Every structure is written in C-alpha cells, then in structure tokens.
Amino acid sequence: MDAHATTFGVPSRKMAMWVFIASECMFFGSLIATYLSYEGKSLVGPTPREILNIPLTSVSTFVLLMSSLAMVLALEAVQTGNRRGARMWLGAVVVLGGLFLAGQVYEFREFYHEGLTLQQNLFGATFFVLTGFHGAHVTVGVIWMVTLLVMSLRGQLGPERSLDVEVAGLYWHFVDVVWIVIFTVVYLIQ
Amino acid sequence: MSAHATAAHPPLYAGGLRSWLTTVDHKRIGVLYGVSALFYFVVGGVEALIIRLQLASPTADVVGADTFNQLFTMHGTTMVFLVLMPLSAALFNYMIPLMIGARDVAFPRLNAFSFWTFFFGSVLLNLSFFVGDPPDAGWFGYANLTSKQYNPGMGIDFWLLSVQIMGIASIASAVNFTVTILNMRAPGMSLMRVPLFVWMALVVQVLMLLAFPPITVAFIFLMFDRFFGTHFYIPSAGGTPILWQHLFWIFGHPEVYILILPSFGVVSEVLPTFARKPLFGAPFMIFSGILIGFLGFGVWSHHMFTTGLGAVADTAFSLATMLIAIPTGVKIFNWIATLWGGHIRFRTPLYFAVGMVGLFIIGGLSGIMHASPPVDIQQHDSYFVVAHLHYVFFGGTVFGLFAGIYYWWPKVTGRMIGEGLGKLHFWLMVVGMNLTFFPMHFLGLDGMPRRIYTYATDLGWERWNMIATVGAFLIAVSVLVFFVNAARSLASKTQAPADPWDAATLEWTVSSPPPEYNFAVVPTVNSARPFWLHKYGPTRDISTRTKAQGTPAQPDNPPTRIDLPSPSSWPILAALGLALLGGGALVGLWMVLFGAAVLVFCVYRWAFQPLERTGHPTFGPAPSGGSS
Amino acid sequence: MLVSIRLQTAEAVSRERSTLSKTLLAALLLPIAGCAAVESPDWRTLRPVSDFGVLVLDVYGDLFWWTAGIFVVVELLLIYALVRYRSRSGDSEVPDQVHGFTALEIGWTLLPAAILFFIAIPTVRTIFLLQGAPPDRDPLEITVIGHQWWWEFRYPELGIVTANELHVPVGRTASLTLTSADVIHSFWVPQIGGKRDLNPGSENRLWFTPTEPGVYHGQCAELCGTSHANMRMRLFVDDSASFAQWSAAMRATAAPDSAGVMTFLISGCAACHTIAGTPAQGKVGPDLTSVGSRTTLASSMIPNTPEMMAAWLRSPDSVKPGALMPDLNLDEQRIADLVEFLEGLR
C-alpha cells in the first residue's frame, strides 16, 4: 500500500526491509556468537589454520564488495530511467553474486576433500552452518536480482518501480556487510 | 455515539469458506487467529486436565510416564505458541488498524501468509499425536535430551520443525505490524497519542523480531544434529548442551514479555474506559513498557542459576533481573492510580482487567524471589516455579486477554455479550485458578519437582495436589461458561452500539462490526483520547498541552471512493508450500523439494499479482457505480 | 569486603536472624496449610538441615517478608480504590480527568528501587558465600554422577562406590563434584539446600555441612527422560560413629559366595554391574558390591526386600518405566538364586 500516505513519509516496503534486517542481525549474530564460542573446542582436526584459504576468500570477498558497487549503480540507473545501465549493472550484480557463490561451492568441495565435513568436528559444523546460511542468503539475493534483470529486459523496470530495486539493494548490501563480518571473524582473526 | 442501525455496506463476515481462505482483511484474519487460539486453548486445557488427573493422587496410573512427558511438553508448547501468542495476534490484527485510524495493515497479503503459516505449523505440531509420537522433552526442550541418541523418535522433529515454521510466521507478522504501527497512523496521531495497547503491541513486535532469530538458530543446530549428524549439543564431540540453554533463553525471556505485554496493553485500555478517566501517567506507562522489553534481553541466564555459570555471572543476571521490577512496579501503581478518583463501572471487562492486576502482582512478586539466585536454586524446577509462571501467564496473560475479548467483543461481533455469565465466568476462573496454582507454591516449598508423572505416598504431597486438580476442573467449568456466553451472544439478534462502553479511542468511532474499509473518512487525531474529546468537549490534554479537538464518529457512507485489496490465494498456498517444505523433512527429500517449489512458485505469483485487481472491493461513490 | 565475608564461616552467618525469620515464616505459613491439611506438610525447603540450606533460607526469609509486605499494601490499595471509587447507580457525572502526577510517579519508581537495594545486598553476599570455597578445610570429597535414571556416588578418598543412597557424616562439610554420564540431571535434596545441575561434559561443585542426623529425600530436578520422576535418592546424615561404621563395612566386603557369583555372571548381569573382587566389572549400571546393605532399590523407588528385588529382576520396566536394565527373561529359580546372592552382599 505504498500508494497511500505514510506517517514517516518512508515507503512501507523500505521500512519493512530495514525492520527485517534488524531481525537478520540477530540471526547472524547468534550464528557468529556460536562460531566464536566453539572456536578451538574441536576435539579433532582439521583446524581453521590448517584449512582456510585466505587468498582465495579475499578474492571472493572483493567480488562481493564489487557487486554492492554494481548494485548502487543499478539503482541509480533505474531511478534515472537509464535502461541500458540498469540491465548492465543488474547483470553485473548477478554475475558477481554468482561468482561469489561459485567460489563458495569450490571452497566447500575443497574442504570436504580435505576431511572437513559437517560431522567431522565443531569447527566444521559451525563453519558450514554459518557460511552456508550466508550463502543461502546470497542465493536468494541472486535469484531476486535475476528477477529484476528479467523485468528490466522486458521493459517492466521503469523509474516508477525504482523502489523494487532499492529494497532489493538494501537486502543485497546487508548480505554483503554480513560477509565482511564473517570474513573478518572467521578468516582474518583466528 | 450513533448506532449504525442500518448497515450501508455488506456484512463484514459474509461469504463462504473460500472468502475466509483468501481474505486479506485484517479483521477477518484477526477472527481466524482468535478462533484458532480458542480452539487450541481447549486442546491445551484438556492436556492440562489429564496432567492434573494423573497428579491428583500419588502413584496414580491415569497415563504412563512417557505419555505424561508428552502431555506437559505439548501443553507448554501449545499454550505458548498456539494459544497466548495467536490470541494476542488476534487482538493485534483486529484492533491495531482500527485504533490507529488505518484501513488495513501495511502488508495485507503478508498478514494472511503469517496466519496460514502459523496455522499449518500448529497442525504439523499436533499431527505428532496422530503418528503416535508427540514430543516429550518439555516445551523448553533442553539439549542433549533432545538428541537422536536419547530421543530417537520423531516427536522432537515434529516439535522443532513446527515451532520453526511458526517462528517464521511470527517474524513475518512482526515486520508487518512494526511497519503498520510506525507508518500507517492516521494524520495527527503522533507516537505519544498512540493508544497504550498499540504501544505495547509495538514493543512486542520488536521483541519478536529480535528474539525469534536466536531460537531459530538454536533449532537449526538441533535440526542439523538430528538430521545430519553434527555435534552442536553433543558433549562427547566437544559440544555443550548449555549452548542450547543460552540460545533458548535469549529467546525465552523476551518471549515472557511477548506473552505478557499485550495483556498490559489491554488493561491499560480497559481500566481508563471503565474508570472514565485517562490512563494515569501514560508517558511513564509507555516508557516502562519499552524498558521492560529492553531489559528483557539482558536477563536470560536467570533461568540458568542452577546450571553453574559462576558467581559473577549469577550476580550480574540477578541484578539485571531485579531492575525489571522497577518498570513493572510503575505499571501497577499507575493502574491503581487510574482507578483512583474515577467513577468505576463494574462491567465484565473491568472484572478481568482488575483480576489481571491483582493476580499478576502475585506472579511478579514470586518473580522477584527468583531473581535472587540463592532463593532460586531452591525454587528452580520445583512446583513453586509452576505456580509463579501460571500466575504470570494465566493470572496475567489469560485474564488480560479475556478482558480484551470481553471489551472488544461487541466491536468484533456486533453483539453484546452477557454480563451475568461473564461475571460468573470471572468468579469461577478466579477461584479455580487460585485453587489450582496457589497450592503449587506449597508443593514447591515442600520439595516437589516439576515434570514428574508420579510421586511416592510418603512425601505428603497428595493433599495439595488433589486441591490443585479440583481447581483445574473449576477453570474448565469457567471456560465452558465463556463458550456458552459466546454462543448465546452470537445467536442473539440485538445489534451492539458502535460505542457501548463510552470509550475514548478510534475503534469506537466505527460501527460494530466495522465496515470492511474501517473508516469512511480517514480520521484526524489531535489527542490521545480523540473520541472522548469529541463527546465531552475539548479539555486540556496531556499530549497537546492545548485544548484539542476530538475526532467524531464515522459517517455511515464513505463520501469518496475507497479501494480495498483483492482477496488472494497465493498467501495461503505459499504458507502451505512452506509447511510442506518443513514437514517434508519427516517424509523425504522429494517432499521438501516439492514444498520448496510450491513456495517459490506462489511467492512469484504473489509478487507479480497487483494488490488491487479488477473487481477488487470498492466502496462509496464511484464513477462506474456500485460497490464490491 | 570479600575478605571479611570469607572470614565469617558460613555457619555463623546471621543465625539469630534466621531463627527469627524461620519462626515467623512458619507462624504465617503453617496456619494456611492447616486450613486444608490435617497433617501439615514437611515444608522441606523451609526446614534446612545444613549450613547451605540455612544460608538459602535466610535470603528467602528476607525476600518473603519484603514481597509479602508489598503484596498486602498493593492489593489493599487496589481493593480500596475499587470500593471507594465505584460508580453509584444513576451516576453519570464525569470524574476529574487527571492525566498524571509526575512527582508521585517518580516516587513510586524510586521506592521499588530502594527496596531492591535491600534485597540485592543479602542476595549478592550469599551468592559468593555459596559458590566460594567450602568452610571446612578438609571436606569429604564425593563425586556424583547422574545416569538415566539413578545416581552414582564415588568417595575417592574412601575408595567407596555406591548408588542412590548417599551417606555423609554430620558436622563435616561434604564437597560434591557433579557430572553426568548421559543427559542433564540436577542434584536436589530440599532439606540440604538448592540444586546444582549435573552437566555431561563438565563439572559443577556444591558443598554443604549437614547439621542434623537423619534420612532425607532427594530427587533429580531436571527433566531427564521417561523415568525422571523415579530418579530419587536418599541422603543419610550419619553421626560420626555410624558413618565410620558404614564406610568400614563398605570397604571390608567379604569375598562373595562363588556359586552366587557364577549365577550372576551367567545371567548376564556382569555386562553392566560391578561387584568388587569378582570378574563382574560392568560400568553401565549401579555398583552392586554392597547392594544388600541398601535400604531401597531402583533409585530409591522400592524398599530393598527379597520380594521387591525379585519383582525388579522379573521385569525392571514395570517397576521403573523406561528402565535401561533389560528384562533378561530369568526363570523363577534363577531369580530366587540371584535375590539370595544379592541380598547377601553387604
């Protein structure tokens, strides 16, 4: 009911996304807290130090950061009615998001072959559940972006629908920020 | 105070089953929540009665040990997630838009989705009875008793999946109502003019938003432990079952306020109405409610004083818990001050509201005892705590919600409800509840632990247990009286007036029941008590500090055209998809994938379906002519 | 401040006050009980028999009087307001529209805060006393291990392992180390004092100095599965002489009769149970070395008589639902032999 006047003058959908993000903070906060509280409590290896590939993950972190930049440009393009720009930048978000996911799939496979599974130890369980749920969020985001891209290709994403992109962008940036925290906590500070 | 004798609009509740399944009207969704919650109130009540029969005498054999464990697990889970939360949601849904002068909630279809997700989740939970394996590890499901090793059956899976599904419903609903309350208020309704009930609802939504994610994470870990063989709670692999306790109570304590604050809100509406005075110290009441919610996140470990967290942690959580007594005390004093100097009219809603205050005090005071670890380690997991929590949830929440039900009954149904039977209901319930729960204090002090299906004859516990059982059946009789009263009211033909209690807030400016569009004209609000000022003339109002104009009763017909959202099948189907996805984990991967496919498909159809489609309900003068 | 607290022994803490508050408490609660009960309940948590229980009761006494006082005042105010300001019939007058009175409200915000201060002081002091070092320099160390659904008690310094019946000498501090073999349990003897959980994978501590000889009821206070209700124990507070006698008897077990041992072994009992000095060294179930000397069986559910022991061996699950001891389908002769053998283990 965005058409109706709202008390704060903020579109309700945008406010809803902010409210939802607050909730998501608690979700990832609980996962990260658990990861930290179980850090070093595994009875058997592999340990983070043995297995985490920081260079590779730094690249995929950079990829995800760039996708946020593309998201900003996509929103601007939609708002200004720049259809070509919208398609290009939405496409870039999809590709970069997809690349990040591909990196995660590669990483998970590598870890699996090196003996780190969900069941292997507490590190495996907390690591895969934390990064896996983040990956699931990225996946939802990529599907959302593909949807917007298809809408744009069909000419359904004019400036009047820029709120759709803005809300999706909020979600995307949030997922990105969460990754920065995870990258810092899991990979950098061991 | 005009009675809308001739309705200018089609009856609110007309239409067949399909219209209920596809409704996006917050009022109908409110009714759906209410009816479901009252149904489960009976289910949870019957479970309680069987529990009480088993405990009435030592070494009784009404049910076996396993069945007893299943019964108290289901009783707790049912009363928390299937009764008290949805009953509050029923009042939120129906009343909040009416009280803030909105035509609907911010996201009507999301609202329908929340209800149906809750509903399918509740069905999934109770399906465990039909496969003969209900959960049996308590509503709090402490790890590692819930692990595959110590609980190989499906009961725990039913429990963890259904509560997770209902958690999604709660978060969706919390997003919706947070935005509704913040963003959908009528012109002029500043935050300090928002009715207390709506304020408490807002605090509850924020608590749900922030408290449900930790329990979801706790459930995800449990799910991974049970389905995929991880060791989050398994000590032999380095995990600790105490992690569950932390995550559960980070949710669990705010949950206590999720359950009690709606009742605080109702009482803060009912007492002023029947004392014919404004709520005493409304700003204090608002801020104390916010403070209770805020502090509620910092006290979870007071449920874990016997866990062995150490003296420093115990001290910190003890002091934080004691602080909560301060805003709670403020509320009680302000309620009494609201009555003070009033002209109190003793109608049924007031009985229940006063009952709530009087009984909640007992639960609150025993709560102060539990804030002190040395005292708590004696009372923890004893019947003393059972007494405490029932004074809070039954004396506090149930009485408060019944006050709300009686108060808003005419508004929702368009019928008055019997005063005689209402008061009989009240007195039976007060006597029954005190007979049931007060002796439990004595049992706890005498060393009777909770969750035991039997006890030896030589312990001297049988007398108080027998009295508690008699009380429980008295409560059952009182609930029966309520249902008789409700049925008689619904069968009667007398139209309830729009404003039967001479009340102050916006919901009384519309007919009973309200028209589908709520407000023919979007009201303008200049006061915390807009309708009162209209009726009794402008007086100095605390929220304005000037003489404010009131808001008049609504006209019978909308002067301009009103468009309402179309009914939609996609929310209920998406909810079904979600339930199949979750419940599918008990059947097989194919069903999970099928549920996911249904969910994704329905979400897309929903997202691309316009809110108002051709043939959507319209009211008032329209160029094309005719309504709906 | 901490030092000064430590200097006081736990026993000596406000004994006078405790007696007074206990008496008053009993004076208030017992008549309430008397209204409905002919025989008064035991009020176990209000009749502590240890320094630990006395410390707990002291705080409870403080809180009880504060909360009872608040309860009476607030409920009276509520009732007074209802009666005094009830609407008379035909009254259509509108009362004064009072919106609030800030000074008053600040007052009743500060008042509870002040009361809480008085509650917090004994609370915090007692927390540190209870979780501090035991008052006795040389406490009797006992390890308590929770099992579904029975209690294992180990006395490392005495070399005693027993089950479900805990013996401690009066006047000497017992220091318990608590842990669990399976799920979470909670140790609770109401007349001794509060609970402490038995967590698998970690250890908790609890100390108390029993002050009165006797036999006290205890049971598990944390839901631990099917027979949680049946996970009971008996705490024997013995005078020094009988404790010495008991521990000597526990250590000096006579070599068991070898025919009986053979029956025990071929019946399969040894897979789970230990009998010291025999090949039976199972660790899953309770140690049966001196089972004949216990007063009860099956975690204190049934008296230890030959008939009850036979019933237990015949079908453990019908005595204690969910019991992990299997039904070995023993014939009556075998049961009789086993009962005779086990009852002889003292």
Side-chain angles (χ1 to χ4, degrees):
Chain A
M1 293 186 115
D2 296 332
H4 299 278
T6 60
T7 310
F8 280 111
V10 181
S12 287
R13 269 195 293 157
K14 196 165 154 186
M15 187 187 274
M17 184 48 78
W18 278 112
V19 170
F20 176 66
I21 284 173
S23 186
E24 288 276 82
C25 284
M26 287 299 284
F27 180 81
F28 282 106
S30 305
L31 286 173
I32 292 170
T34 302
Y35 179 87
L36 288 175
S37 74
Y38 273 168
E39 206 168 23
K41 299 276 169 65
S42 296
L43 302 184
V44 292
T47 63
R49 207 174 289 280
E50 289 163 13
I51 205 164
L52 292 179
N53 183 344
I54 296 177
L56 173 81
T57 317
S58 304
V59 172
S60 68
T61 305
F62 180 73
V63 166
L64 198 61
L65 272 177
M66 286 307 105
S67 79
S68 260
L69 178 66
M71 187 71 236
V72 172
L73 295 169
L75 174 62
E76 204 227 338
V78 172
Q79 279 168 339
T80 56
N82 173 2
R83 282 199 189 173
R84 244 191 87 229
R87 284 167 203 177
M88 187 173 85
W89 292 118
L90 281 173
V93 177
V94 170
V95 169
L96 292 168
L99 267 177
F100 176 83
L101 286 175
Q104 192 169 39
V105 170
Y106 172 80
E107 184 192 35
F108 279 21
R109 280 175 56 99
E110 283 295 299
F111 287 2
Y112 187 80
H113 288 306
E114 288 172 49
L116 185 72
T117 60
L118 268 174
Q119 297 82 10
Q120 174 68 18
N121 57 17
L122 286 177
F123 167 58
T126 50
F127 173 82
F128 282 120
V129 170
L130 169 59
T131 54
F133 269 93
H134 179 265
H137 277 73
V138 176
T139 309
V140 169
V142 168
I143 294 171
W144 197 347
M145 294 305 153
V146 169
T147 312
L148 290 173
L149 180 61
V150 171
M151 284 170 72
S152 173
L153 289 170
R154 286 186 183 170
Q156 295 167 337
L157 206 62
E160 77 286 352
R161 302 210 68 156
S162 64
L163 182 64
D164 288 5
V165 184
E166 197 177 348
V167 172
L170 279 177
Y171 174 83
W172 190 261
H173 296 313
F174 168 71
V175 171
D176 197 354
V177 168
V178 170
W179 181 254
I180 305 291
V181 177
I182 293 175
F183 181 62
T184 312
V185 167
V186 176
Y187 292 83
L188 297 184
I189 312 168
Q190 285 176 28
Chain B
M1 277 192 285
S2 62
H4 294 243
T6 53
H9 40 78
L12 178 61
Y13 306 118
L17 181 63
R18 193 187 153 84
S19 76
W20 284 95
L21 298 180
T22 60
T23 186
V24 295
D25 183 335
H26 70 95
K27 299 182 285 300
R28 281 167 162 249
I29 293 171
V31 170
L32 287 172
Y33 268 115
V35 170
S36 314
L38 287 173
F39 169 75
Y40 285 123
F41 189 46
V42 174
V43 173
V46 169
E47 288 158 2
L49 290 180
I50 302 173
I51 290 171
R52 282 314 323 163
L53 276 179
Q54 166 68 17
L55 291 177
S57 53
T59 67
D61 204 15
V62 179
V63 291
D66 283 320
T67 310
F68 186 87
N69 292 356
Q70 292 159 356
L71 281 171
F72 69 67
T73 301
M74 288 298 282
H75 169 73
T77 310
T78 299
M79 287 304 189
V80 169
F81 294 106
L82 275 57
V83 179
L84 298 183
M85 288 183 70
L87 205 51
S88 303
L91 297 180
F92 293 161
N93 263 280
Y94 208 107
M95 304 320 303
I96 286 175
L98 289 170
M99 293 174 90
I100 62 173
R103 291 230 163 93
D104 206 323
V105 295
F107 307 101
R109 290 178 298 185
L110 184 65
N111 201 20
F113 172 77
S114 297
F115 170 74
W116 290 112
T117 303
F118 149 73
F119 182 78
F120 292 131
S122 74
V123 170
L124 180 64
L125 176 66
N126 282 285
L127 273 181
S128 63
F129 275 119
F130 295 94
V131 302
D133 195 4
D136 60 358
W139 89 279
F140 60 107
Y142 266 21
N144 52 343
L145 185 60
T146 52
S147 66
K148 208 80 182 166
Q149 183 184 358
Y150 297 108
N151 217 321
M154 285 169 89
I156 297 297
D157 299 327
F158 270 103
W159 174 74
L160 74 91
L161 292 166
S162 58
V163 177
Q164 270 187 98
I165 289 171
M166 290 186 280
I168 292 171
S170 295
I171 291 178
S173 159
V175 169
N176 202 348
F177 278 92
T178 306
V179 175
T180 302
I181 296 168
L182 290 178
N183 223 16
M184 304 284 286
R185 282 167 285 143
M189 181 173 275
S190 62
L191 281 173
M192 294 314 282
R193 291 177 189 158
V194 168
L196 239 291
F197 176 71
V198 182
W199 253 114
M200 292 305 106
L202 178 61
V203 176
V204 167
Q205 309 310 317
V206 174
L207 291 178
M208 290 205 286
L209 280 172
L210 302 180
F212 268 87
I215 187 75
T216 305
V217 167
F219 273 124
I220 287 170
F221 293 160
L222 181 59
M223 191 168 71
F224 271 68
D225 274 5
R226 290 183 63 87
F227 285 87
F228 307 123
T230 54
H231 305 101
F232 283 103
Y233 303 126
I234 312 294
S236 58
T240 169
I242 295 168
L243 173 67
W244 168 273
Q245 297 181 17
H246 283 292
L247 290 171
F248 183 83
W249 289 116
I250 289 173
F251 150 80
H253 202 78
E255 173 71 11
V256 171
Y257 300 118
I258 291 171
L259 297 176
I260 193 69
L261 288 177
S263 164
F264 282 8
V266 171
V267 169
S268 302
E269 298 299 323
V270 170
L271 292 182
T273 300
F274 292 91
R276 302 173 62 71
K277 278 179 63 199
L279 184 67
F280 191 89
F284 262 73
M285 292 297 257
I286 292 169
F287 290 125
S288 58
I290 295 172
L291 196 61
I292 290 173
F294 180 77
L295 290 174
F297 276 99
V299 299
W300 76 86
S301 283
H302 72 215
H303 296 268
M304 301 162 62
F305 284 148
T306 67
T307 300
L309 300 177
V312 175
D314 283 1
T315 302
F317 282 101
S318 165
L319 296 179
T321 306
M322 288 182 186
L323 287 181
I324 292 188
I326 297 172
T328 313
V330 167
K331 283 201 172 276
I332 288 176
F333 286 125
N334 277 19
W335 283 327
I336 295 174
T338 303
L339 293 170
W340 207 273
H343 289 192
I344 305 165
R345 293 171 309 165
F346 281 84
R347 310 297 292 270
T348 310
L350 180 94
Y351 275 68
F352 276 95
V354 168
M356 183 275 174
V357 178
L359 295 170
F360 175 75
I361 291 170
I362 299 174
L365 289 172
S366 52
I368 294 181
M369 290 181 174
H370 301 148
S372 175
V375 179
D376 181 75
I377 56 173
Q378 271 290 20
Q379 296 172 351
H380 177 82
D381 272 345
S382 80
Y383 259 83
F384 197 94
V385 171
V386 181
H388 159 73
L389 78 92
H390 282 96
Y391 270 91
V392 173
F393 292 144
F394 201 105
T397 309
V398 172
F399 272 74
L401 293 180
F402 267 118
I405 289 172
Y406 277 99
Y407 182 55
W408 284 308
W409 182 273
K411 182 55 60 193
V412 173
T413 63
R415 300 282 179 271
M416 296 306 288
I417 187 161
E419 279 289 310
L421 283 179
K423 285 168 187 166
L424 180 66
H425 169 198
F426 171 79
W427 285 115
L428 285 173
M429 205 171 232
V430 167
V431 174
M433 114 119 223
N434 283 295
L435 267 188
T436 312
F437 301 119
F438 209 83
M440 291 183 183
H441 290 114
F442 304 151
L443 286 169
L445 291 176
D446 200 11
M448 180 169 169
R450 306 168 77 168
R451 306 181 180 114
I452 56 170
Y453 79 95
T454 190
Y455 50 94
T457 29
D458 57 357
L459 291 166
W461 296 339
E462 57 264 34
R463 192 167 305 269
W464 293 118
N465 270 303
M466 178 56 88
I467 291 170
T469 302
V470 171
F473 278 85
L474 210 55
I475 295 176
V477 173
S478 78
V479 174
L480 216 59
V481 170
F482 166 72
F483 281 113
V484 170
N485 201 7
R488 282 176 47 141
S489 160
L490 293 176
S492 78
K493 296 272 181 281
T494 338
Q495 174 73 35
D499 180 25
W501 314 122
D502 196 13
T505 39
L506 288 179
E507 76 270 29
W508 306 103
T509 64
V510 301
S511 60
S512 301
E516 209 174 324
Y517 47 78
N518 290 358
F519 296 93
V521 181
V522 173
T524 303
V525 178
N526 294 313
S527 152
R529 300 195 304 149
F531 197 29
W532 179 274
L533 294 200
H534 171 73
K535 290 181 286 189
Y536 290 94
T539 56
R540 190 169 167 282
D541 188 284
I542 193 155
S543 67
T544 59
R545 311 260 173 224
T546 58
K547 293 209 170 194
Q549 289 297 319
T551 304
Q554 289 281 314
D556 281 344
N557 290 301
T560 55
R561 179 177 150 130
I562 297 171
D563 294 286
L564 291 184
S566 310
S568 174
S569 314
W570 301 118
I572 181 175
L573 292 174
L576 187 63
L578 182 61
L580 289 176
L581 190 166
L586 295 164
V587 182
L589 185 63
W590 65 271
M591 194 158 152
V592 176
L593 295 176
F594 175 69
V598 172
L599 176 64
V600 171
F601 177 75
C602 295
V603 166
Y604 267 92
R605 292 303 301 264
W606 168 2
F608 285 98
Q609 180 185 54
L611 195 59
E612 291 158 10
R613 300 190 303 282
T614 321
H616 68 274
T618 61
F619 299 90
S624 54
S627 61
S628 75
Chain C
M1 190 177 113
L2 267 178
V3 179
S4 71
I5 290 173
R6 281 286 158 77
L7 287 176
Q8 297 174 293
T9 66
E11 257 178 287
V13 172
S14 53
R15 172 139 288 179
E16 271 169 55
R17 217 164 40 103
S18 136
T19 323
L20 178 70
S21 77
K22 258 194 292 184
T23 318
L24 285 171
L25 212 60
L28 193 83
L29 284 176
L30 292 180
I32 300 175
C35 295
V38 179
E39 81 272 29
S40 74
D42 290 341
W43 300 107
R44 290 179 178 82
T45 65
L46 306 183
R47 293 180 177 171
V49 294
S50 80
D51 53 351
F52 173 33
V54 169
L55 285 168
V56 164
L57 184 62
D58 268 354
V59 185
Y60 177 75
D62 279 356
L63 261 73
F64 178 84
W65 288 110
W66 279 115
T67 51
I70 299 167
F71 170 77
V72 170
V73 170
V74 177
E75 299 281 2
L76 283 180
L77 280 172
L78 178 64
I79 292 166
Y80 176 81
L82 288 169
V83 174
R84 167 77 178 75
Y85 298 106
R86 69 188 185 281
S87 172
R88 273 74 169 179
S89 57
D91 167 19
S92 59
E93 201 189 325
V94 175
D96 280 348
Q97 300 294 295
V98 179
H99 284 277
F101 184 16
T102 309
L104 198 59
E105 292 173 70
I106 290 173
W108 62 51
T109 307
L110 294 179
L111 186 69
I115 292 175
L116 287 174
F117 185 74
F118 289 104
I119 292 176
I121 288 177
T123 291
V124 175
R125 200 176 57 160
T126 311
I127 291 174
F128 282 91
L129 270 177
L130 294 181
Q131 301 196 20
D136 193 332
R137 289 279 167 89
D138 178 31
L140 175 63
E141 294 285 349
I142 304 171
T143 303
V144 181
I145 304 168
H147 297 260
Q148 282 181 324
W149 292 273
W150 58 279
W151 305 88
E152 179 176 351
F153 301 117
R154 295 173 163 269
Y155 298 71
E157 60 192 84
L158 302 177
I160 296 172
V161 179
T162 183
N164 302 324
E165 296 189 355
L166 177 61
H167 285 256
V168 289
V170 71
R172 181 175 174 197
T173 302
S175 174
L176 309 188
T177 301
L178 309 160
T179 188
S180 166
D182 38 48
V183 299
I184 301 175
H185 304 277
S186 194
F187 180 92
W188 190 28
V189 181
Q191 284 188 263
I192 289 298
K195 304 162 197 70
R196 191 60 71 192
D197 291 354
L198 286 69
N199 297 312
S202 59
E203 287 182 348
N204 267 332
R205 297 193 72 79
L206 180 76
W207 56 255
F208 59 88
T209 317
T211 51
E212 274 175 54
V215 184
Y216 302 100
H217 169 82
Q219 81 186 87
C220 175
E222 184 65 72
L223 177 64
C224 55
T226 305
S227 258
H228 164 58
N230 296 321
M231 188 169 163
R232 303 171 195 161
M233 73 176 113
R234 294 181 143 206
L235 172 69
F236 290 79
V237 175
D238 301 331
D239 58 53
S240 317
S242 18
F243 182 78
Q245 202 179 355
W246 173 82
S247 62
M250 289 296 285
R251 277 174 294 181
T253 43
D257 145 60
S258 59
V261 171
M262 193 47 81
T263 317
F264 189 79
L265 291 175
I266 59 173
S267 303
C269 310
C272 298
H273 295 284
T274 291
I275 297 174
T278 75
Q281 294 294 327
K283 297 292 177 213
V284 178
D287 187 304
L288 298 180
T289 307
S290 314
V291 67
S293 66
R294 289 180 207 150
T295 62
T296 56
L297 290 175
S299 66
S300 226
M301 280 186 77
I302 47 175
N304 186 4
T305 61
E307 298 75 42
M308 294 311 280
M309 186 182 283
W312 171 243
L313 293 176
R314 206 171 284 129
S315 171
D317 193 69
S318 50
V319 173
K320 187 199 271 188
L324 297 180
M325 172 156 144
D327 181 349
L328 294 170
N329 291 314
L330 307 168
D331 61 40
E332 285 303 316
Q333 185 53 48
R334 178 69 62 78
I335 290 174
D337 292 348
L338 280 170
V339 168
E340 197 193 339
F341 166 65
L342 292 168
E343 294 291 9
L345 293 173
R346 282 167 189 275

